[in-house]
Amino acid sequence: MLGALDSGRRARGGPLPAGGPDAVAARVRAAAGDLLPDHGDPDALRVLVHALAEGAADPADPLCAAHLHCPPLAVATAADLAASALNPSLDSWDQAPAASVLETLVTHTLARQAGLADALVTTGGTESNHLALLLARETHPGGIRLLYGANAHHSLPRAAWLLGLPEPLIVPAPAGTLDPAALHAALTGLGGPRTPLLVAATAGTTDAGLIDPLPEIAALCAAHGARLHIDAAHGGGLLFSDRHRHRLTGLDAAHTVTLDLHKLGWQPVAAGLLAVRDPADLTALHQHADYLNADDDTEAGLPDLLGRSLRTTRRPDILKIAVTLKTLGRSGLGALVDQVCALARTFADLIEDHPRFELHDRPTISTVLFRPAHATDDTVAALRRGLLTDGRAVLGRARLGGRLWLKATLLNPRTRPADLATLLELVEGTTPR
């Protein structure tokens, strides 16, 4: 089946189906037909899977480079299928005896990589950030105020809103990373025994893959008695790389850290984690439901799983992560991280050497921002949409320094320099002269 799907996607000639939203919707509606017929269709699996594949963005295509959307590893995909077939649910031990043990082993292993003590499995960075703010709030029952950089992920202020926290304070990030001097001024202005503060730093921004000055931020938090959360959903994968893990120096000073292995971990969605320094913080999540964790069962030795998540029914996403870690090891995953970081540097070189393009800056991780020289923002936006509609390339967009940039997020280790040159040629050929 995988071979058939792959050939169907290649037949399109690009990483997206051509025609734009209306054309894709029409093809899917035609394939779907009546989705609840009086009598079932034994060919439904083939028809609908092929329709989904033909209309999907293909993250394995070298020209699919808009988002933090990775091509998943084959071993992880196979493990994900096994998890679906076995269908354990990690809300009680009697539904997932082996999976609950495996989850404990893997979460402790990954937390240690970040220099912390334990971790919970989440659906991704958004849930992890929400959970981090919840734990901070419960640690300070009188309330806590969030400070985050202007470069931070949108899920942080959203989580503050959902949790009923006071209006967060946005700290300037004039160069794309949180400014320590501005943070110091904000902490000084808000400090005091009645104002517990939570600082959220970022290790791998969505727009440009930039990393905040973590050691300086950690020192400021320690000096002002503020709690520190680091959103490393993007950059956390650098921990696997001996060459790049130094960029995350200071990560172990955080109270909580967001990690996300469906980015620089090459997992099928979803594969998020929240690592914690103090396991006692997790007691705030404890819930009692007699049918799942009766007191006498817990006292008799049956593990209580309800305090390991905000969710109840929970699939064993840990299996694909465990299989990947054991199959590739830290060196294998580190090599993949090194490859995509090297690809980003190669792409930046191509852009710098091309007279018709402008590079925003050298890449920090594997995101490269660029634009046609002398183009207006409207032109940049239109040419990106043109490539999407034609299905020829998938590029993102980012607004930095008051200008709109094309964004290439390189997460495919099999991409080659020739593919990057092709991508530039496509953009150049689409740019009005």
Side-chain angles (χ1 to χ4, degrees), residues 66 83 156 160 162:
L156 285 162
L162 286 167

Side-chain angles (χ1 to χ4, degrees), residues 234-290:
H234 181 180
L238 299 180
L239 289 169
F240 298 121
S241 167
D242 290 337
R243 183 175 302 170
H244 295 287
R245 65 179 292 130
H246 71 277
R247 296 181 182 275
L248 298 180
T249 299
L251 199 70
D252 57 353
H255 293 79
T256 50
V257 172
T258 288
L259 301 170
D260 199 343
L261 296 181
H262 55 245
K263 296 181 173 66
L264 280 177
W266 294 278
Q267 299 298 292
V269 174
L273 298 107
L274 179 74
V276 298
R277 182 203 295 178
D278 185 357
D281 286 356
L282 301 180
T283 58
L285 299 179
H286 177 74
Q287 290 290 314
H288 179 79
D290 194 65

